[in-house]
Amino acid sequence: MQFYSTNNRDLRVSLKEAVFNSLPADKGLYMPERVPSLDAYFIRNLPGLSFQEIAFTVAGAFVEEADIPANDLRRIVEDAIDFDAPVRLLDHETAVLELFHGPSLAFKDFGARFMSRVMAYLSTDDRVLDVLVATSGDTGGAVALGFLGVPGTRVTILYPEGKVSPIQESQLTTNGQNIRAIAVAGTFDDCQALVKTAFNDPELNKAFRLTSANSINIARLIPQAFYYFHAYAQLRAQGAEEVVFAVPSGNFGNIGAGLLAHKMGLPVRRFIAATNVNDTVPRFLRNGRYDPRPSVQTLANAMDVGNPSNWVRIMDLFGQDQSAVRQAVAAYAFTDTQTREAIQSMVDRYEYIACPHTAIAWLATQAYRREYPGDYATVFLSTAHPCKFPEVFGPRIAAQIAVPDQVRALEGREKAVVRLGVDFEGFKSYLLGTA
Ligand SMILES: *Cc1c(COP(=O)(O)O)cnc(C)c1O
């Protein structure tokens, strides 16, 4: 299958090109040339299939034999998706889809693990693939752990010193092997600027085969469709007829993958986009004007996005038809005060501790039920484990958060980190010194 740019449908590239150069020159985003549809037999039989079988079928709809032969794709999928995405019922009409059981404890593991393996597989060059990534916390952990031990790759993570949480810092700095971390004496924007300048530097491009692990890479989007099918399978097995998914949204990649799954034939009654006060999309669905604003810092900081990069993909998926988007997607936005109250309400009602992003999705399910009463199951996606955001919880709740094995395993591990300033020359000479 080929991929086109959302800015020019006549520009077609191979999977390999789209994976290694994730941004088309015209600044659009890559989309599959057609949305593959999965047959009714597959959909009916979903409850009898394992997560890995489902993932393999969904991936195979985009990746043809000529791109990656089926046996190899199966190996990639089974290696990448080696942890579950369970649905837990909280009451007779509310369920949570937990996407935080991977190595970095956030849903970005699905995208990062699949992309890293596809990149390593498609790489025909003998030179090491050098992945440069700037992170404010969550993405870096998923990318680092996604590439950890993947042959032929090396990852350099830049993060702002002192501005990531202790668990995040451990995830970035204790890996060893093919992962190295640089603490930059500056902000996330400084880290991003260093990476961008490096990609445009002729000398570095000569010395290394550089690539980015950008969140808009098509190989991160496709695997995020897997768990919508798997969640639907689990809900059907538990007797649900109609399903509504609520998705905590920042760059809208996660919900975009859900909408892609829906277009492929997954029966979903409606999607709910849940945001914090960075409400560009909820405002757009209300008044029809796409009016991005600078992002505002909130408790759910992985969703602090003023101009969601994947929104153009969603409009493309719906042929730019605003009313079709509105029919498929409802949207609600919530403040930090509401988020804190929701965390407490969820403990009181279900004895369930949610991270702030997840709590916003739950709030959206409640708002949706008030607006559209009826007989259906609402499933909200839990995008991260609450232990990653300790500063959000009061001591009573914090004491009840179970520490996952992935975090225990980091305790006592030695941190290896290089400290650099914000100047490009310093970064460049460090890189050249490690050629
Ligand atoms: C990245 C992230 C989000 C936002 O996902 P998008 O695909 O950007 O909409 C939500 N929650 C958590 C915990 C995240 O890390």
Side-chain angles (χ1 to χ4, degrees):
M1 180 180 291
Q2 292 198 303
F3 297 83
Y4 65 72
S5 163
T6 50
N7 281 346
N8 176 8
R9 285 196 174 221
D10 294 330
L11 179 89
R12 300 284 162 105
V13 302
S14 65
L15 174 69
K16 183 173 176 177
E17 171 69 19
V19 165
F20 285 109
N21 296 314
S22 51
L23 266 179
D26 62 18
K27 302 271 165 65
L29 294 186
Y30 285 119
M31 285 292 279
E33 60 181 338
R34 66 193 151 73
V35 176
S37 65
L38 294 171
D39 58 47
Y41 178 83
F42 172 74
I43 303 291
R44 241 192 341 272
N45 286 300
L46 276 169
L49 299 177
S50 73
F51 189 15
Q52 290 185 335
E53 281 173 280
I54 292 170
F56 171 64
T57 303
V58 175
F62 296 96
V63 180
E64 285 162 3
E65 195 72 19
D67 301 312
I68 302 178
N71 278 338
D72 294 336
L73 181 64
R74 186 182 285 279
R75 253 198 308 279
I76 289 171
V77 167
E78 289 179 356
D79 188 42
I81 313 300
D82 64 347
F83 53 94
D84 198 14
V87 168
R88 296 187 199 287
L89 289 183
L90 298 179
D91 64 27
H92 68 284
E93 56 186 19
T94 311
V96 54
L97 167 60
E98 293 184 344
L99 300 175
F100 55 69
H101 295 283
S104 86
L105 305 169
F107 85 98
K108 291 187 174 73
D109 285 330
F110 289 93
R113 287 176 69 79
F114 183 78
M115 177 182 66
S116 63
R117 282 151 183 79
V118 167
M119 276 185 166
Y121 183 89
L122 292 177
S123 179
T124 42
D125 198 309
D126 284 343
R127 289 191 300 169
V128 168
L129 184 65
D130 259 296
V131 180
L132 301 184
V133 55
T135 185
S136 54
D138 249 15
T139 301
V143 170
L145 293 160
F147 278 91
L148 181 64
V150 174
T153 68
R154 175 168 70 170
V155 179
T156 307
I157 308 161
L158 288 81
Y159 69 93
E161 181 159 22
K163 295 194 175 70
V164 302
S165 80
I167 287 180
Q168 286 171 335
E169 185 162 49
S170 297
Q171 286 180 341
L172 299 176
T173 59
T174 61
N175 294 297
Q177 298 187 56
N178 57 332
I179 312 296
R180 54 190 184 172
I182 298 177
V184 174
T187 63
F188 167 65
D189 290 335
D190 294 321
C191 297
Q192 201 151 29
L194 287 173
V195 168
K196 278 196 177 144
T197 312
F199 283 126
N200 292 321
D201 186 89
E203 211 179 328
L204 288 179
N205 277 288
K206 212 164 152 214
F208 303 103
R209 190 157 68 101
L210 297 178
T211 193
S212 85
N214 209 304
S215 69
I216 47 77
N217 198 303
I218 191 76
R220 279 178 67 165
L221 191 72
I222 291 169
Q224 290 175 8
F226 301 167
Y227 46 73
Y228 287 93
F229 287 92
H230 180 48
Y232 177 82
Q234 294 174 73
L235 287 154
R236 286 303 302 249
Q238 292 169 0
E241 296 280 337
E242 289 224 64
V243 178
V244 171
F245 283 108
V247 188
S249 296
N251 269 317
F252 282 70
N254 196 355
I255 195 170
L259 291 163
L260 186 61
H262 181 44
K263 292 268 180 189
M264 293 171 77
L266 185 70
V268 179
R269 182 171 164 138
R270 197 94 183 265
F271 285 84
I272 311 172
T275 74
N276 54 33
V277 293
N278 295 285
D279 62 349
T280 300
V281 168
R283 276 186 291 114
F284 170 70
L285 293 180
R286 237 181 3 254
N287 64 23
R289 279 193 307 275
Y290 190 80
D291 171 29
R293 293 179 187 164
S295 68
V296 176
Q297 201 179 337
T298 75
L299 288 178
N301 56 21
M303 289 155 49
D304 293 348
V305 179
N307 188 6
S309 53
N310 283 290
W311 188 250
V312 295
R313 279 196 164 124
I314 292 174
M315 291 307 291
D316 187 83
L317 204 53
F318 286 87
Q320 312 300 326
D321 180 346
Q322 279 193 27
S323 69
V325 176
R326 268 196 208 95
Q327 255 170 42
V329 185
Y332 302 93
F334 300 95
T335 64
D336 275 357
T337 306
Q338 290 172 307
T339 307
R340 285 187 200 282
E341 285 168 5
I343 289 170
Q344 186 60 52
S345 301
M346 292 175 79
V347 171
D348 297 342
R349 267 166 83 163
Y350 315 119
E351 295 181 25
Y352 192 83
I353 303 175
C355 89
H357 313 79
T358 306
I360 287 176
W362 176 73
L363 277 171
T365 66
Q366 302 299 296
Y368 186 82
R369 280 208 173 273
R370 281 192 296 275
E371 197 169 340
Y372 305 96
D375 187 17
Y376 54 85
T378 31
V379 188
F380 59 96
L381 276 58
S382 178
T383 45
H385 193 286
C387 76
K388 293 188 88 173
F389 307 93
E391 66 290 350
V392 171
F393 302 98
R396 286 262 295 286
I397 292 181
Q400 291 174 54
I401 298 176
V403 180
D405 294 343
Q406 293 95 318
V407 173
R408 262 185 232 287
L410 296 174
E411 279 162 16
R413 290 254 293 264
E414 203 175 323
K415 289 187 180 147
V417 59
V418 171
R419 292 195 166 73
L420 293 178
V422 298
D423 61 298
F424 179 68
E425 287 312 313
F427 177 48
K428 180 171 171 176
S429 63
Y430 165 76
L431 287 178
L432 288 172
T434 64

